[in-house]
Amino acid sequence: MPHTFERATLRGRKHIKGGQFLRSIVYGANDGIVTTFAVVAGVAGAALSPIVVVVIGVANLLADGFSMAVSNYLSTKSEIDLFMREKGIEEEEVREIPEQEKAEIREILRQKGYEGDDLEKMVGLVSKNKKYWIDFMMSEELNFAPLISYSPVADAAATFVAFVLAGSLPIFPYLLLGGNGDYVFQYAIAMTALVLFAVGSLRSIFTGLKWYRSGLEMLFVGGAASFIAYLVGFVLRGVGA
């Protein structure tokens, strides 16, 4: 009976498809709301007017969102370029010097504990399929993980959109309510806390942690960053006075 339960549990697990885009969205949203609310908190701590909060918040939101998207694009593109370069070299070696490459397969498998007839059978099986052969060498010889995404532009776009949408939430109360800065700031705190917890909990998709633990962790980190920003603004307000 326990064995049946284990099988049912394993069958119920699902692999994540489109993981790179999901990761870009989740982490972009996390960074967006933390960064923007930290700016809002800093300006609020300095007791500046709501319109200043909106102007600085929007400017920071768009500039940081674009910067993060560009960084994501460059890092993803560099990863893809390096992977494809090394794969091209490996394809050429398999085509031009197959026996030497088979010797490398043999050595890799020997280090994994294969020997004798089993070793030779494994070498034959790996080298029988050229696509798998190349994938095997990329993984076992060069330590490359399979590419998650082949679209750096899509990754960058997902990051930017998530960053801007989530990061705009702390500014909404100032746009909708205006008026007294302290009063609106309380609404911004409440909204940001809820979204921080919600978006942070989505990290459990990738980390495997409990959703509430991921949410509380993000809430704590975002809250700490915002408190520091608010404190700096408050101190500088005192200095200016």
Side-chain angles (χ1 to χ4, degrees):
M1 190 68 178
H3 187 64
T4 304
F5 175 76
E6 284 183 12
R7 287 186 175 181
T9 302
L10 289 173
R11 282 198 297 268
R13 295 178 182 174
K14 294 183 181 296
H15 292 285
I16 300 171
K17 295 181 179 180
Q20 178 65 18
F21 297 115
L22 284 173
R23 183 163 54 245
S24 296
I25 291 170
V26 170
Y27 290 124
N30 274 330
D31 287 346
I33 194 165
V34 170
T35 301
T36 306
F37 186 68
V39 172
V40 170
V43 176
L48 300 178
S49 67
I51 188 62
V52 174
V53 174
V54 172
V55 171
I56 295 179
V58 171
N60 176 81
L61 179 66
L62 296 177
D64 280 1
F66 180 76
S67 176
M68 186 176 179
V70 169
S71 296
N72 194 349
Y73 170 82
L74 292 175
S75 63
T76 303
K77 188 174 186 302
S78 297
E79 180 184 0
I80 293 172
D81 290 343
L82 177 60
F83 183 92
M84 298 307 295
R85 174 184 178 276
E86 294 299 323
K87 186 176 181 180
I89 293 174
E90 202 62 48
E91 289 172 342
E92 184 178 358
E93 290 177 346
V94 167
R95 184 173 59 253
E96 301 296 333
I97 49 173
E99 293 307 316
Q100 183 175 326
E101 290 296 294
K102 287 182 182 179
E104 291 179 357
I105 296 175
R106 187 174 290 106
E107 182 57 30
I108 291 170
L109 293 174
R110 184 179 289 114
Q111 292 177 5
K112 292 182 178 294
Y114 289 96
E115 56 185 20
D117 290 340
D118 287 342
L119 174 61
E120 295 306 317
K121 287 179 181 177
M122 286 293 294
V123 172
L125 287 172
V126 171
S127 59
K128 185 176 182 180
N129 184 319
K130 285 192 175 181
K131 182 181 182 304
Y132 179 74
W133 185 353
I134 293 166
D135 290 342
F136 178 87
M137 299 303 288
M138 290 292 292
S139 173
E140 301 298 332
E141 181 189 18
L142 302 178
N143 297 316
F144 274 98
L147 286 179
I148 298 177
S149 171
Y150 286 90
S151 178
V153 173
D155 281 347
T159 299
F160 180 77
V161 171
F163 189 100
V164 170
L165 289 179
S168 64
L169 294 177
I171 306 174
F172 274 155
Y174 290 90
L175 292 172
L176 298 177
L177 301 176
N180 184 277
D182 291 336
Y183 174 74
V184 179
F185 184 52
Q186 292 173 8
Y187 278 94
I189 291 174
M191 178 179 289
T192 302
L194 288 173
V195 177
L196 272 174
F197 181 83
V199 176
S201 66
L202 293 177
R203 293 170 58 237
S204 62
I205 297 173
F206 312 108
T207 63
L209 298 175
K210 298 293 185 180
W211 63 270
Y212 55 83
R213 180 178 173 182
S214 294
L216 290 173
E217 183 181 63
M218 194 64 216
L219 180 59
F220 175 78
V221 172
S226 302
F227 175 76
I228 292 171
Y230 182 87
L231 188 62
V232 170
F234 183 82
V235 171
L236 290 178
R237 176 179 63 179
V239 171

